[in-house]
Amino acid sequence: QVQLVESGGGLVQAGGSLRLSCSASGRTLSNYFMAWFRQAPGKEREFVARISMSSGSTAYADSVKGRFAISRDNAGNTENLQMNSLKPEDTAVYYCAASSRTVMRYYNPSEYNYWGQGTQVTVSS
């Protein structure tokens, strides 16, 4: 069992920054893909970013390229999402996700079988 614990959400004004973290409770995820998704009320869950915990390769949704950066720690048990230049449309519950398989459709939430509880990010205008 992989347990994902998220932190770092909060309230910020447009143009500000937040840093989200997701940790695997002392367990290494070195052979996993990890990702961030977000879901606003009345909207479908959408892909934000993903990282290979082994190679460090990254991918981003077009809507966050140049503003968000995903990273991993050296121990391979934590992923981070640095969010800069936040916009009101970034407001959502942000979810950490993990997959033990290498997946091509990393933008599809159904490819991930481990999820965090979600953390609220609210960006005021």
Side-chain angles (χ1 to χ4, degrees):
Q1 183 180 4
V2 175
Q3 295 178 261
L4 305 178
V5 180
E6 300 168 331
S7 62
L11 174 65
V12 66
Q13 293 190 8
S17 298
L18 285 173
R19 185 175 179 86
L20 307 182
S21 295
C22 175
S23 299
S25 301
R27 300 184 64 181
T28 181
L29 299 175
S30 59
N31 297 124
Y32 287 71
F33 276 55
M34 296 190 71
W36 289 96
F37 288 78
R38 66 188 183 187
Q39 188 167 22
K43 302 293 182 65
E44 295 185 350
R45 189 166 299 187
E46 66 174 352
F47 169 76
V48 177
R50 76 103 170 105
I51 188 168
S52 167
M53 299 301 284
S54 58
S55 72
S57 67
T58 60
Y60 297 90
D62 289 341
S63 59
V64 305
K65 285 181 179 177
R67 299 190 298 121
F68 292 8
I70 190 170
S71 61
R72 75 201 205 283
D73 70 346
N74 292 331
N77 61 354
T78 301
E79 68 165 348
N80 302 295
L81 186 69
Q82 178 65 46
M83 305 185 295
N84 300 322
S85 302
L86 283 162
K87 305 174 181 180
E89 52 262 46
D90 295 319
T91 295
V93 177
Y94 282 69
Y95 295 93
C96 174
S99 174
S100 59
R101 299 174 179 266
T102 299
V103 295
M104 297 300 296
R105 300 177 63 186
Y106 52 79
Y107 48 84
N108 188 340
S110 66
E111 298 289 348
Y112 300 84
N113 47 10
Y114 302 103
W115 292 88
Q117 79 285 355
T119 184
Q120 178 70 48
V121 172
T122 302
V123 184
S124 62
S125 60

